[in-house]
Structures are given as C-alpha cells and as structure tokens.
Amino acid sequence: MSQLKLSQINIYPIKSCGGISLTSSLVEQKGLEFDRRFVLTHENGKFITARTDSKLCIIQIQVNDNGLCLNAPDMPELIIRYQDFAANYQNVQVWNDTIDAQYCNAEYDQWFSRYIGKPCKLMYFGERSERQVKNSQSQVSFADSYPFLLISNPSLNELNSRLASHASMAQFRPNLVVDNCEAFAEDNWKRIRIGEVEFEAMKLCSRCIFTTIDPATGKRNADREPLNTLKSYRRNSKGEVLFGQNLIALNSGRISLNDQVVVIE
C-alpha cells in the first residue's frame, strides 16, 4: 500500500457551524488555529449545537485577520471583529465543563437569535479561557472533548459500501483526514506524526444524531443514516457508536496537505 498521507485539513471556527478546508494549518495545543474558538449559548450559558438547531451547520464562514465573515440563508452578511468584543468573561457550559469565556457583542447575538429563532449569545475562547482535556494536561477549546479528530478515507469508503445513499466526510466533521491505509486502521494508532507535529491517540470518537444532518442543507436523514448502519457494527460494550480517533498534540507546529503520516506506535 502507498505511503500514508494527510488528504484533508478542516476547521470549524464556530462550534456546529460550517467548516473550512485548508491547505495548511498551525497546530496549537487546544486545536488547529481558529478551530472551535467560538460557541453559541443559551442565555444561561449552556452551549447550543446543531444537534438541536441543525440550521447552524449551513452558516458559511470565512476567516480573516480581523475576525470572521458569516453568510446564511435569508440573512444579511455578518462581520465579526475581534476589536469589538466585550472585555467581560462569562461562564459557558460545554457538556460537563464550565469555561470562562469572553462575551462578544450584542449585535452578533441578535443576528444568531434571529437566524435560529431563539435568544442566544456568541462567546469566544479568549486569552483568559482554559479547559483541560480529561486525563491529560492538554487544553481544548469548545470541541466536544478533544482538540483533534482524525478519520481515514478508507473507513468512510467501507461505511459507504453498506449504505444505500453515501455519506460525506463532512457529516463527521473531522479535522484531519488520512489516505492510503486499511479501513479503521486509525482505531489502533497510539502515536502518529504529521508534518512537524506528533499526536497521541486518546479515545475513539462516539457518534450521535449530528452525523445524520446533511451539511449542505441542514436537514436530517429520515432513516437516521449513517448512524443506524454504524450502530449495526461499530458499537462498543457501553453502547457507544464509534467512528474516528480523538487526538491531542504533543507539540506545536505546522501541517500541510499531502504530509506523510507516520505511525510511531
């Protein structure tokens, strides 16, 4: 088989919103640069995702030096500028973690609230924000649990061989996609190196209803696919449906498309 290589690099600047594919990226301890640095919350600080508000995933995002540019159906363009963020920090709850996050701007809140049809706030993982990965000294921003998610294309191809209608890699929202390995080879990787960075595998990724949302339309699959098919053969003893490998970075550095992926352990 050909040499393992990195075939996709993806970031999702606002949790659950649209992704951006890159040709290279800086790897930081808490994730790829700009990845999941923003999150929407209810007024009480509890996080909001496309699991309940699937329209979020069709918000298109561009990153620039000053902030973000957002576009969504039937909405005016929204420009988010770091310089306009408030100075105050507020508690944000992501699963069982409470994070001291920087409040952004009431104008942004109004845009998102109008779009999803309920009051919400946009929060930023600012300089004072901290969130530790479970059983590790590493930090993670607003990702579910770990700063990096890796999936191989052969794993997706194997899944699609079982589906009547193919799933896209975008439904699983990985940061890193690898080619030229056996299907589910990533399940057994303990340490890998990509470009300048060494990564440690922490836990296989458990999947949820989010995977049934079409990232192009924001609509759920009526047959709950590909989740139902994954349940038929990718379930562990706890009942978790597994697809992809969660990683932490052991150093910072830059990675690029077509970098060799070296399995160290």
Side-chain angles (χ1 to χ4, degrees):
M1 183 169 283
S2 302
Q3 193 175 71
L4 293 175
K5 71 172 185 177
L6 185 63
S7 59
Q8 285 184 36
I9 304 170
N10 303 306
I11 59 170
Y12 312 88
I14 303 175
K15 187 176 180 68
S16 277
C17 294
I20 302 172
S21 294
L22 305 174
T23 56
S24 67
S25 179
L26 179 65
V27 174
E28 301 173 336
Q29 186 185 81
K30 58 181 175 283
L32 296 178
E33 187 177 26
F34 304 118
D35 187 52
R36 284 141 173 140
R37 297 303 197 265
F38 294 85
V39 66
L40 286 171
T41 74
H42 296 282
E43 292 183 307
N44 64 4
K46 188 172 182 179
F47 76 130
I48 297 172
T49 75
R51 294 172 182 87
T52 56
D53 294 89
S54 61
K55 289 173 62 177
L56 289 175
C57 69
I58 58 174
I59 296 175
Q60 297 180 347
I61 300 176
Q62 293 177 302
V63 175
N64 57 54
D65 292 341
N66 301 314
L68 307 176
C69 176
L70 274 58
N71 286 278
D74 303 316
M75 294 293 292
E77 184 176 75
L78 177 65
I79 304 299
I80 294 174
R81 298 182 181 88
Y82 297 124
Q83 66 186 35
D84 295 334
F85 290 2
N88 64 307
Y89 280 65
Q90 302 173 15
N91 283 347
V92 167
Q93 184 182 349
V94 176
W95 299 117
N96 294 322
D97 294 333
T98 300
I99 304 144
D100 199 21
Q102 186 175 4
Y103 177 63
C104 292
N105 186 297
E107 177 189 345
Y108 310 154
D109 297 349
Q110 292 168 7
W111 190 93
F112 281 103
S113 298
R114 175 181 160 193
Y115 180 65
I116 66 172
K118 60 186 175 187
C120 61
K121 297 188 295 185
L122 183 68
M123 306 296 294
Y124 179 65
F125 200 89
E127 291 183 3
R128 284 171 37 192
S129 303
E130 291 187 354
R131 183 185 177 208
Q132 194 166 316
V133 175
K134 186 178 180 180
N135 300 322
S136 170
Q137 296 302 308
S138 287
Q139 292 285 313
V140 57
S141 54
F142 294 125
D144 275 353
S145 299
Y146 297 92
F148 306 93
L149 173 63
L150 178 149
I151 299 175
S152 73
N153 263 320
S155 298
L156 178 65
N157 293 340
E158 198 279 344
L159 170 61
N160 278 330
S161 71
R162 300 166 181 259
L163 295 173
S165 180
H166 281 190
S168 70
M169 188 63 84
Q171 288 173 243
F172 299 97
R173 299 172 71 83
N175 299 110
L176 310 171
V177 178
V178 174
D179 259 322
N180 300 334
C181 62
E182 299 291 337
F184 303 111
E186 63 269 28
D187 289 4
N188 300 310
W189 296 344
K190 303 300 181 188
R191 286 199 182 198
I192 62 172
R193 184 170 62 250
I194 304 173
E196 302 173 347
V197 183
E198 189 171 325
F199 297 88
E200 181 179 352
M202 299 297 290
K203 182 181 182 294
L204 294 181
C205 184
S206 58
R207 311 314 304 229
C208 68
I209 196 70
F210 199 162
T211 60
T212 69
I213 299 171
D214 183 338
T217 65
K219 295 181 179 178
R220 300 185 191 279
N221 181 279
D223 298 321
R224 296 171 62 92
E225 293 291 9
L227 188 61
N228 275 348
T229 294
L230 282 171
K231 284 181 178 179
S232 71
Y233 76 115
R234 291 287 299 173
R235 224 169 185 169
N236 65 10
S237 59
K238 297 178 182 177
E240 298 172 319
V241 180
L242 305 176
F243 193 75
Q245 180 71 265
N246 287 304
L247 310 172
I248 60 171
L250 301 180
N251 63 289
S252 60
R254 184 159 289 278
I255 59 173
S256 301
L257 287 185
N258 297 315
D259 274 350
Q260 182 183 0
V261 179
V262 179
V263 180
I264 299 170
E265 182 182 348

